[in-house]
Amino acid sequence: SPTVTIIGAGLAGCEAAHQVARRGFKVRLFEMRPAVSTDVHNGGRLADLVCSNSLRSDDPFHPVGLIKREMAGWDSLIIGAARAAAVPAGSALAVDREGFSQGVSQAIEGNANIELVREEVTAIPDGPVILAAGPLCSEALSRDLYRFVDDRALYFYDAIAPVIEYDSLDHDVVYLKSRYDKGEGADYLNIPLDKETYERFHQALVTGERVEAKNHEKLIFFEGCLPVEIMADRGVDTLRFGPMKPVGLEDPRTGKQPYAVIQLRQDNFAKSHWNMVGFQTQLKWGEQKRVFQMLPGLERARFVRYGMIHRNTYVDSSKHLLPTLQFRRRPDLFLAGQISGVEGYVESAAAGLMAGVNMARFLAGETPDPFPATTAMGALAHYVSFQGHAKLDPTNINFGLLPPLARKGRMKRREKRAAMVHRAVADMIAFAHARGLSEFAMPDYDA
Ligand code: FAD
């Protein structure tokens, strides 16, 4: 059978390569870095996490906890490598980004069915292809893709949060604690703010100088990843009810809850780098230094990396894809990852997983079939390919994407979520069993 070309060794591309290869097919996985770089990736690392080091909630009854477990059932490379490189983060799954990327690289480079080619692909090749070139798809390939779909480029902006050196923090001010003491121990560093400091900081955020968009286009942000100063623009208290929420974070030295809190999350195994949680920003670098150093405990902060904004390219999949992630016009061409209209590390990898599984079915002469719409993975694929969108807005996984429950009558929110999760688990197991995966199981649920 022909070799599958996979474009982009990011989260979606590595996952797709692993899924195709473990079904016995050969893969040529193209990655343009380090020769051709992007503004946000680090050197030549595979599956590079460009911003936060968190794969978000690990609660099995949270939609992103559910999707991780569905993926684990399908032997996900990305979820396996993330668990192996996990760092403490309360009830979230966060990783040492270098350890994570190394784990993925070893699996890819050690796989006899995968050939990693460090080259830019400048046009969509013939033959079986999975296009997973990400939101920063190179210019030449983007042009060819837009020619193929005969559509204007869609885009939105994403922002990155700063990372700070541990040694530069004032440890008399910051304190260790997880919200409501969830998780194994105290995993977050917290910066307590009183009312006056908070208000001064808010004022500095809304008046700080910001970076503008390229080519004077309109700055459209993804609602789930708004820059901190845009949230601040919405009102003086917006941040206190958002990323600076103090509930469950009493200062252990006083026993009191501060007026507002900024959390820092461990960013590497060595605990030398800490990420400002929810502080993605479009402030100019000099302004970030000035404004963030106003915070108590950060007066002498050294920044490993400043925050920044970046343009994300995606395709309006609702016009072009089937829920199997195949192009309607060309069934041997699949689209996966952020460029297909999903948003987030885990969601991108999930799209790669579905494209990989279905590509293998396509090559085996079987009919690729969509993952059930009642599962978290399937719901994403159905959402992006749904033909009723006026315009596709990229999305994270959430329970609103899953079809409503058949059971009528009033249910508490928790009950409803649990029922949706149990339905997803049962339907995913049935789907896998029907495809001959008799061993298929999902961790953490007794289905
Ligand atoms: P990527 O991981 O970007 O992988 C695509 C790969 O393709 C890259 O390695 C790239 O070098 C390569 N490539 C591109 N063009 C070519 C070509 N022509 N030939 C060969 N190789 C090519 N998600 C979160 O969950 N949390 C976050 O904090 C977060 N922050 C983000 C911040 C920014 C600035 C951006 C842009 C996105 C962010 N995302 C975040 C969204 C998304 O989850 C990530 O972009 C994720 O990496 C997408 O996975 P992917 O596999 O689709 O793309």
Side-chain angles (χ1 to χ4, degrees):
S1 63
T3 299
V4 179
T5 302
I6 299 184
I7 311 172
L11 294 161
C14 290
E15 183 67 58
H18 167 76
Q19 296 293 340
V20 172
R22 73 190 291 281
R23 289 171 172 75
F25 299 100
K26 297 268 181 218
V27 172
R28 291 191 86 203
L29 174 60
F30 285 84
E31 174 50 60
M32 66 178 184
R33 291 176 295 115
V36 183
S37 59
T38 76
D39 291 347
V40 301
H41 286 94
N42 302 289
R45 278 191 214 158
L46 302 193
D48 187 31
L49 301 178
V50 291
C51 176
S52 155
N53 63 322
S54 171
L55 273 62
R56 317 210 303 283
S57 173
D58 204 20
D59 174 348
F61 288 90
H62 184 286
V64 79
L66 170 66
I67 202 169
K68 285 201 264 289
R69 284 162 180 81
E70 292 179 0
M71 293 169 73
W74 289 87
D75 182 33
S76 162
L77 167 63
I78 293 299
I79 300 303
R83 297 232 178 263
V87 297
S91 54
L93 174 62
V95 302
D96 174 287
R97 62 182 79 237
E98 212 166 309
F100 167 70
S101 166
Q102 270 169 16
V104 174
S105 296
Q106 277 163 10
I108 295 287
E109 283 167 324
N111 191 319
N113 279 345
I114 304 176
E115 181 196 355
L116 177 64
V117 186
R118 295 277 188 176
E119 243 172 66
E120 181 190 356
V121 177
T122 53
I124 305 169
D126 291 330
V129 175
I130 299 177
L131 202 162
L136 306 160
C137 177
S138 75
E139 228 177 292
L141 184 61
S142 301
R143 266 201 302 273
D144 195 51
L145 176 62
Y146 287 122
R147 203 174 307 132
F148 177 74
V149 296
D150 190 21
D151 207 345
R152 213 162 37 86
L154 291 174
Y155 73 91
F156 66 99
Y157 277 81
D158 240 345
I160 287 182
V163 177
I164 299 175
E165 277 182 44
Y166 182 81
D167 288 348
S168 69
L169 300 168
D170 182 346
H171 293 277
D172 289 336
V173 178
V174 302
Y175 59 94
L176 263 175
K177 189 176 172 71
S178 292
R179 201 181 296 279
Y180 302 117
D181 296 318
K182 271 194 181 169
E184 306 263 305
D187 299 337
Y188 290 80
L189 283 171
N190 300 280
I191 303 170
L193 273 71
D194 59 25
K195 185 165 189 283
E196 195 192 328
T197 317
Y198 174 81
E199 286 171 356
R200 208 171 340 117
F201 177 61
H202 175 266
Q203 189 57 25
L205 276 180
V206 295
T207 52
E209 215 185 324
R210 304 175 189 185
V211 172
E212 285 174 17
K214 283 182 183 169
N215 316 323
H216 307 291
E217 66 188 5
K218 189 164 172 247
L219 277 173
I220 305 166
F221 283 100
F222 178 65
E223 190 64 28
C225 183
L226 288 176
V228 64
E229 51 284 345
I230 295 207
M231 277 186 265
D233 288 345
R234 293 184 175 177
V236 68
D237 284 326
T238 307
L239 288 172
R240 270 203 332 123
F241 292 97
M244 296 181 71
K245 191 165 62 177
V247 292
L249 290 173
E250 299 76 20
D251 187 336
R253 293 161 302 198
T254 61
K256 292 210 178 99
Q257 182 177 299
Y259 188 70
V261 169
I262 292 172
Q263 293 204 293
L264 303 174
R265 181 181 50 232
Q266 186 181 331
D267 198 72
N268 62 354
F269 279 137
K271 299 191 179 185
S272 54
H273 296 170
W274 290 70
N275 206 301
M276 291 179 77
V277 180
F279 268 70
Q280 49 279 359
T281 173
Q282 67 176 119
L283 289 179
K284 292 190 169 170
W285 289 8
E287 288 288 85
Q288 289 181 40
K289 188 166 154 59
R290 181 182 69 79
V291 173
F292 296 144
Q293 283 185 346
M294 285 172 57
L295 291 165
L298 295 197
E299 293 87 351
R300 289 206 300 274
R302 284 191 305 272
F303 293 85
V304 180
R305 187 192 66 201
Y306 284 105
M308 59 176 145
I309 55 168
H310 216 282
R311 193 180 196 278
N312 270 260
T313 297
Y314 68 101
V315 169
D316 187 346
S317 295
S318 66
K319 296 200 177 72
H320 306 288
L321 295 192
L322 296 168
T324 51
L325 304 181
Q326 290 167 288
F327 275 90
R328 294 178 201 141
R329 269 174 50 206
R330 199 187 132 178
D332 65 347
L333 176 62
F334 290 69
L335 191 65
Q338 181 105 353
I339 201 167
S340 67
V342 301
E343 163 67 32
Y345 297 149
V346 180
E347 290 84 345
S348 295
L353 191 154
M354 291 185 279
V357 168
N358 274 323
M359 173 61 92
R361 285 184 71 82
F362 177 79
L363 294 178
E366 295 156 346
T367 320
D369 40 18
F371 281 56
T374 48
T375 65
M377 276 204 282
L380 268 182
H382 281 86
Y383 172 83
V384 297
S385 59
F386 173 63
Q387 294 191 43
H389 294 292
K391 171 185 156 278
L392 173 66
D393 282 322
T395 187
N396 285 129
I397 184 62
N398 61 73
F399 284 126
L401 301 185
L402 275 65
L405 293 163
R407 204 182 116 183
K408 295 274 184 280
R410 287 180 73 80
M411 275 168 110
K412 291 210 182 88
R413 195 172 124 94
R414 274 175 68 120
E415 266 177 2
K416 217 162 127 180
R417 289 183 153 219
M420 282 204 162
V421 168
H422 287 304
R423 180 181 66 178
V425 172
D427 289 358
M428 188 61 97
I429 291 173
F431 178 71
H433 285 183
R435 271 139 207 87
L437 300 170
S438 55
E439 306 284 289
F440 186 93
M442 277 173 54
D444 291 341
Y445 305 101
D446 32 356

